[in-house]
Amino acid sequence: AAAGVGTLGLVDPETVVLSNLHRQILHTTESLGRPKALSGKARLAALNPGVAVRAYQERLTAANAAERLQGYDVVLDGSDNFPTRYLVNDACVRLGTPLVHGGVVHLRGQVLTVLPGLSACVRCVFPEPPEADAVPSCQEAGVLGSAAGILGSLMAHEALKLLLGLGEPLADRLVVFEGDRSRFREVPVRRDSGCAVCGDSPTIRELREHMDPCRESSEVRSQGSEVRAR
């Protein structure tokens, strides 16, 4: 919004709670109890009144994903559960819309840019979600607010690069932030010709929702699922 991106869409079914505020700086204590989508819209309008913000106070589902994401130049996914992550990826592949995928838990995080048809998608890198309880949730591991800020800034940076046609996107490169050592690590990945969504003979042809084996897990880490590296 501060960079002047003309139209933004926010999809979030939750309300603002105090435990979120250390890492969700779009909201304030005055927003407690308000729907996040509406709180975010008001805050962005105050920051830049020239930006149009569409707020969708609902959960992204297989029934509404294509409609909600259609028409945007790039999608950023910072969701906190595996079903939504896979659903956003699958919808973006079907729509041909670039996707910036990001996640964070504790002091670690990751970012990947997906260029449908040209680079690896999220399913190419993580074909299946990890087994139940293999990845800790926010409640179990916690999230350091500064780590979320670093990964969120990197995601915004990737989105602006795509919109402006600048630089080299993080396509086929999974960037892992190791906050305990303040180190970035790059993992080369590649499009999988056998991927169920973007492969040569896809087996997933309709948007569908998966059960979440990790309940409220907030991060798809490389240790939690096999990473298909180049």
Side-chain angles (χ1 to χ4, degrees):
V5 176
T7 301
L8 300 171
L10 302 176
V11 181
D12 200 316
E14 299 179 350
T15 58
V16 180
V17 296
L18 187 63
S19 61
N20 292 159
L21 296 185
H22 71 290
R23 67 183 186 275
Q24 296 179 3
I25 59 173
L26 187 62
H27 313 292
T28 68
T29 53
E30 295 181 352
S31 304
L32 294 177
R34 291 192 65 192
K36 287 183 179 178
L38 300 182
S39 171
K41 178 178 180 177
R43 182 72 178 274
L44 295 176
L47 175 65
N48 187 346
V51 172
V53 181
R54 301 169 181 169
Y56 304 103
Q57 186 188 341
E58 59 187 3
R59 185 175 67 88
L60 200 71
T61 67
N64 66 19
E67 179 181 359
R68 290 291 172 259
L69 303 184
Q70 192 169 20
Y72 290 95
D73 296 304
V74 60
V75 172
L76 292 86
D77 176 28
S79 55
D80 64 355
N81 62 86
F82 292 102
T84 302
R85 289 187 182 278
Y86 284 115
L87 178 61
V88 172
N89 174 78
D90 299 354
C92 285
V93 170
R94 289 175 61 87
L95 294 170
T97 303
L99 164 68
V100 180
H101 156 91
V104 61
V105 67
H106 198 35
L107 284 79
R108 297 172 56 89
Q110 66 187 29
V111 174
L112 172 72
T113 293
V114 177
L115 303 178
L118 300 175
S119 71
C121 77
V122 174
R123 283 189 188 270
C124 292
V125 184
F126 304 103
E128 299 290 339
E131 297 180 358
D133 299 321
V135 179
S137 67
C138 284
Q139 289 75 14
E140 295 168 334
V143 175
L144 193 65
S146 54
I150 290 169
L151 273 298
S153 294
L154 184 56
M155 291 176 66
H157 182 65
E158 282 296 296
L160 290 173
K161 283 164 51 184
L162 290 170
L163 292 172
L164 295 170
L166 298 176
E168 179 183 353
L170 284 176
D172 290 333
R173 296 183 292 139
L174 178 72
V175 167
V176 178
F177 174 63
E178 299 174 347
D180 52 341
R181 305 172 69 180
S182 294
R183 183 179 74 172
F184 286 93
R185 181 166 54 90
E186 186 174 295
V187 181
V189 295
R190 63 184 178 188
R191 178 174 172 269
D192 179 11
S193 60
C195 176
V197 172
C198 76
D200 297 337
S201 300
T203 57
I204 298 178
R205 299 182 178 277
E206 297 181 351
L207 294 181
R208 65 189 190 190
E209 297 175 65
H210 296 263
M211 294 184 62
D212 189 354
C214 298
R215 298 183 298 277
E216 295 180 341
S217 180
S218 63
E219 161 67 356
V220 185
R221 294 186 295 176
S222 56
Q223 290 90 341
S225 181
E226 177 189 1
V227 176
R228 296 188 176 178
R230 194 194 311 273

